[in-house]
Amino acid sequence: MTNEISGAVQSAVVVQAGQIQGGIHLPALRTPRPVPRQLPLMPRHFTDRLTEREALDAAGVRGTAVVVLSGMSGVGKSALAIRWLHGQDTYPDGQLYANLGGRAGPVRPERVLQQWLHALGVEAFPADLHELTAVWRSVTAGRSLACLIDSARTADQVRPLLPAGSPSMTLVTSQSSLWELAVDGADLHHIGPFPPGAGVDLLARFAGEDRVAAEPDAAEQLVRVCGHLALPLVLAGARLRSRPQRRLSSLVDTLTPTTNASPHPEDFARMATTAALNKAYSDLEADAQRLYRQLAILPVEDIDPDMAAAVASIPVATAEYLLDTLTDEHLLEELAGDEARPTRYRMGESQRDYARYLALHHDRDEARDDALQRLCAWMLAIATQVQLRLSPAQATLRLKQGLASAGVPERLPFDDDPGALAWLASHQRNLPGIVRTARDHEWHETAWQQVDAVWPLLHRRHPYDLWVELHELGVASARQADNPAAVRQMLLSGAIGLSQADRWSTAIRWYTDALREARAPSMADDKDDAVRDEGQALLGLGACLLDTGDHEQAVPFLTEAIQLWSDSGYPRGVALARIVLGEIATAQSNPARALTLFTRARDGLLAVGDQYDADRALAFRGHALTLNGDVDAGIRELTEAVERLGAHGSTRMCARALDLLAGAHHRHGDLDAARRCFRQAADLMATIRPAYAEHLRRREQVL
């Protein structure tokens, strides 16, 4: 057989198919995403909890979907949950983890859902929590997952995170009982302190059975001094293991509270934990003590060696050694790594509170501020390199102001485009705290630049709540910095996120503010930049009014943008505004005018090398051809646009083009092709706009 293809093959796949007339487009093959294994590492030392583990075993056999483990801080709830889940092999679709406590306050469920959905292979998400929860339930309906939700504060935090699949199990840890989750079928288990024998056994695992057997009374007293709690016992045990010559009785003396009062059990637990932490800290070398204090004041959820090295201004190898030391002493907890950051740590609440107290009382204000400033500078430097690599056009303002080229780090934690985006995404939960810290310390130029630098994450992953939160901080800091161009940049890029999240009224307000700022430039402002931003604000207002159906009010804004950009020599902006005018003409049943506008827009975009937006214009032009009576030509152009937009990876626009192509096939009388296009469009939109996906499926069914 002779293989012959007369046309372009848009794929790296080898095609063996005889003789084919015409081009072939095959979607790029994706590397399968690994099954998520997000649980923290197995506790190194664990004992007893036999009754609790048997209860969890029974819940698993019954198919219980939710189990809540409650108890005071330091009792060992998380260690029990992690240990039990690591021993299960009945959840083949993955293990997901979230800590809802949060360094900067309770973590919102939509943030967790976005991260979990991405781990399961979903690339784009809706903005609304209800729609996001619906996507989560749809994605998990046929899966068997183990989810660990740590440090939950309320039942409302937990409910949106519960998977729909009946074979799945969710373990929740909390200091509260979360009795409200019993309505959702949850088993509620209170975790109390260890019985005396179990506490002694835990000490023996650290110190050795011979040492404990040699001082049985001291071992039992040490367990009492530690309140029979896991955390202080683990800290005390770590001291004994690292000092084989130390007698247990001497450690008892250093940990025994000096008060003769009979405190409440929870107060006693805090005293025991503080005493154990104080002893663990006092035995550290000075460099480890300093790093421990510095890490406690960081506004981040997790830490890695690169971050620690930057904050402490030490070599990465030294940071790795000190982090290992703190982990060995149970002052840090090692987390499961990922491809972007193989080694990560977090500080438990008790350890962090104690270290923060030390930092506030032992370090000068200037020293603490210097550490925070180094954190902000490090994050900005690397995020800037991500932006310059993935979205260089977005960095134009900072490049003009001489900002984006400053502070290039010696070491980059990635070496390709996917790695750059993955690194930025892995810091998603750290970004709000870092930007807020820069704003609170009045490092306003750093704050707005940080928001600008994470554009690739916002634009490609669509975490809308993060998008809006960061830009609210960015606008405020740009104003404080008295940088009018930065104010407009923050307003315009923030408004894009608001409009994509269907928050049109707020987006219109932001675009209006940007328009006012652009029309009143300062003496130091660049006139060309102000004109460009004025046109962008006009275009944004017109697009928002198109989306809300207010076509008559949209047209003057778009017409003014075209005139402004024509006079100032910005043909790309002119073409983009013509696309929106063409959509309005289509909605007003004027396909002939729409065809002219889309044709001129596509020609203009091709002339400036904007292939993606030219392909958007091609899709709309195909639709206009169909409405204008040239259905065959419309189908040809829409088919080409679907292929091109798919190659761009534009899920939202590809789905829209498929919707338009379905309508063209329907007009042509090819109902099977129309149904197929509706089905493909619905599949693409299922994780972005579930309601629209359902609308497409209904249209498929009525054909």
Side-chain angles (χ1 to χ4, degrees):
M1 176 183 291
T2 301
N3 292 298
E4 182 181 338
I5 302 174
S6 57
V9 181
Q10 300 178 35
S11 172
V13 179
V14 175
V15 179
Q16 184 171 354
Q19 193 173 54
I20 298 177
Q21 303 295 325
I24 295 177
H25 173 79
L26 296 174
L29 296 179
R30 292 185 179 180
T31 303
R33 191 181 296 274
V35 174
R37 302 291 179 192
Q38 297 182 350
L39 291 180
L41 301 182
M42 180 91 76
R44 299 181 184 181
H45 301 280
F46 189 85
T47 189
D48 194 58
R49 300 301 188 194
L50 180 61
T51 301
E52 290 87 348
R53 284 186 282 160
E54 288 177 345
L56 289 172
D57 289 338
V61 170
R62 291 194 308 270
T64 303
V66 187
V67 177
V68 178
L69 305 177
S70 62
M72 69 176 67
S73 176
V75 79
K77 305 179 294 295
S78 298
L80 169 61
I82 294 166
R83 180 82 179 199
W84 186 80
L85 285 174
H86 270 294
Q88 305 304 304
D89 58 3
T90 53
Y91 305 103
D93 293 319
Q95 302 164 336
L96 300 173
Y97 173 78
N99 182 352
L100 299 188
R103 175 66 180 83
V107 177
R108 288 183 287 189
E110 48 263 50
R111 295 245 173 114
V112 177
L113 288 179
Q114 289 167 353
Q115 294 169 13
W116 282 3
L117 284 168
H118 179 70
L120 295 176
V122 178
E123 297 292 346
F125 326 98
D128 180 74
L129 176 59
H130 296 294
E131 285 194 339
L132 194 59
T133 303
V135 172
W136 167 246
R137 299 279 163 80
S138 299
V139 168
T140 58
R143 303 191 192 220
S144 178
L145 296 163
C147 303
L148 174 54
I149 301 174
D150 234 344
S151 302
R153 302 189 184 186
T154 67
D156 288 339
Q157 266 187 306
V158 173
R159 283 197 176 99
L161 306 181
L162 300 178
S166 57
S168 297
M169 176 181 273
T170 302
L171 289 188
V172 184
T173 72
S174 177
Q175 293 188 42
S176 303
S177 67
L178 301 186
W179 58 267
E180 302 95 331
L181 290 176
V183 177
D184 302 270
D187 282 0
L188 309 179
H189 296 280
H190 179 75
I191 309 301
F194 284 125
V200 171
D201 182 55
L202 183 58
L203 283 175
R205 291 174 183 268
F206 281 93
E209 294 183 2
D210 292 343
R211 290 174 72 186
V212 170
E215 297 183 84
D217 292 341
E220 291 179 2
Q221 188 176 357
L222 186 55
V223 172
R224 288 195 298 273
V225 168
C226 290
H228 300 269
L229 294 173
L231 177 57
L233 277 169
V234 165
L235 292 166
R239 305 263 54 71
L240 293 169
R241 184 189 61 213
S242 61
R243 290 154 182 80
Q245 305 305 318
R246 168 168 280 180
R247 293 177 57 83
L248 272 66
S249 55
S250 68
L251 186 57
V252 170
D253 293 339
T254 62
L255 296 181
T256 301
T258 56
T259 178
N260 294 322
S262 299
H264 186 275
E266 290 197 12
D267 293 333
F268 183 80
R270 282 193 291 271
M271 292 167 59
T273 300
T274 300
L277 286 167
N278 185 59
K279 188 58 183 171
Y281 173 79
S282 64
D283 288 339
L284 291 173
E285 58 184 283
D287 288 343
Q289 289 181 340
R290 186 181 305 108
L291 181 61
Y292 180 49
R293 298 195 305 270
Q294 288 173 327
L295 296 180
I297 65 171
L298 301 185
V300 297
E301 300 298 329
D302 56 46
I303 303 148
D304 59 52
D306 285 322
M307 179 190 294
V311 167
S313 194
I314 56 178
V316 174
T318 303
E320 290 173 337
Y321 164 75
L322 294 176
L323 290 170
D324 284 342
T325 299
L326 294 174
T327 304
D328 288 341
E329 299 300 332
H330 294 273
L331 298 173
L332 284 181
E333 174 188 353
E334 188 171 359
L335 298 174
D338 53 33
E339 188 175 352
R341 290 193 295 157
T343 307
R344 297 185 303 130
Y345 305 86
R346 76 178 176 99
M347 197 175 281
E349 290 186 22
S350 297
Q351 291 95 323
R352 186 179 64 234
D353 290 344
Y354 176 72
R356 185 171 177 80
Y357 169 83
L358 293 173
L360 293 174
H361 286 78
H362 291 279
D363 297 327
R364 294 178 295 107
D365 291 346
E366 294 83 356
R368 294 195 301 272
D369 288 350
D370 286 347
L372 291 171
Q373 197 162 29
R374 287 193 292 269
L375 170 70
C376 293
W378 170 79
M379 176 59 74
L380 176 57
I382 300 183
T384 294
Q385 296 307 306
V386 176
Q387 183 186 39
L388 292 173
R389 183 172 197 136
L390 301 180
S391 305
Q394 184 66 20
T396 300
L397 173 62
R398 291 194 297 131
L399 286 168
K400 283 186 174 182
Q401 296 188 352
L403 301 171
S405 58
V408 179
E410 294 183 7
R411 163 175 161 159
L412 287 175
F414 49 81
D415 53 16
D416 57 19
D417 289 0
L421 183 60
W423 182 89
L424 198 54
S426 75
H427 281 285
Q428 186 166 322
R429 288 186 61 185
N430 293 333
L431 290 170
I434 291 174
V435 175
R436 191 172 288 108
T437 294
R439 181 206 61 182
D440 292 345
H441 283 76
E442 299 184 354
W443 305 326
H444 295 302
E445 289 285 356
T446 297
W448 77 259
Q449 288 181 63
Q450 182 65 77
V451 177
D452 186 66
V454 300
W455 176 260
L457 171 66
L458 305 178
H459 185 58
R460 300 190 185 204
R461 293 286 177 84
H462 307 287
Y464 293 114
D465 62 317
L466 178 66
W467 194 327
V468 175
E469 179 182 0
L470 291 182
H471 277 82
E472 288 174 341
L473 295 168
V475 169
S477 283
R479 291 192 189 282
Q480 289 295 322
D482 195 21
N483 189 331
V487 172
R488 298 194 301 269
Q489 179 97 330
M490 291 293 96
L491 287 169
L492 291 169
S493 57
I496 292 171
L498 288 163
S499 62
Q500 289 189 9
D502 296 345
R503 294 174 58 179
W504 291 300
S505 60
T506 308
I508 288 172
R509 177 164 54 82
W510 282 45
Y511 278 128
T512 302
D513 289 347
L515 182 61
R516 183 179 61 253
E517 296 278 350
R519 286 175 170 172
S522 69
M523 295 296 294
D525 217 343
D526 186 296
K527 183 177 180 181
D528 290 339
D529 286 344
V531 170
R532 182 79 55 88
D533 291 343
E534 182 181 356
Q536 190 64 51
L538 291 166
L539 174 62
L541 286 168
C544 284
L545 292 167
L546 166 66
D547 289 336
T548 57
D550 198 345
H551 302 152
E552 294 300 329
Q553 286 198 50
V555 171
F557 288 114
L558 297 165
T559 303
E560 186 176 358
I562 289 174
Q563 184 63 54
L564 186 72
W565 279 334
S566 296
D567 293 343
S568 62
Y570 183 43
R572 179 175 177 270
V574 171
L576 293 174
R578 282 180 176 145
I579 289 179
V580 182
L581 281 175
E583 292 184 83
I584 292 174
T586 301
Q588 294 176 335
S589 301
N590 191 347
R593 172 168 167 73
L595 182 59
T596 299
L597 287 165
F598 291 137
T599 300
R600 294 185 67 187
R602 184 165 188 264
D603 290 344
L605 291 164
L606 289 173
V608 298
D610 186 348
Q611 187 63 56
Y612 168 71
D613 285 309
D615 293 337
R616 282 202 309 124
L618 178 65
F620 292 128
R621 175 185 151 86
H623 181 51
L625 283 168
T626 301
L627 296 178
N628 217 36
D630 196 346
V631 180
D632 289 335
I635 290 175
R636 285 195 302 272
E637 294 203 358
L638 279 164
T639 301
E640 181 183 353
V642 167
E643 292 178 353
R644 288 181 172 278
L645 291 165
H648 286 299
S650 176
T651 303
R652 186 192 301 257
M653 193 58 213
C654 187
R656 187 168 184 188
L658 280 165
D659 184 0
L660 299 176
L661 180 56
H665 282 304
H666 188 198
R667 281 176 173 261
H668 199 262
D670 190 345
L671 299 187
D672 287 340
R675 293 188 191 98
R676 185 166 58 251
C677 290
F678 278 135
R679 193 178 313 123
Q680 292 171 351
D683 289 343
L684 288 173
M685 294 302 290
T687 61
I688 302 175
R689 289 288 184 272
Y692 180 48
E694 185 58 31
H695 167 71
L696 291 168
R697 295 193 196 285
R698 286 196 299 269
R699 291 176 66 188
E700 175 198 349
Q701 291 167 2
V702 299
L703 288 182

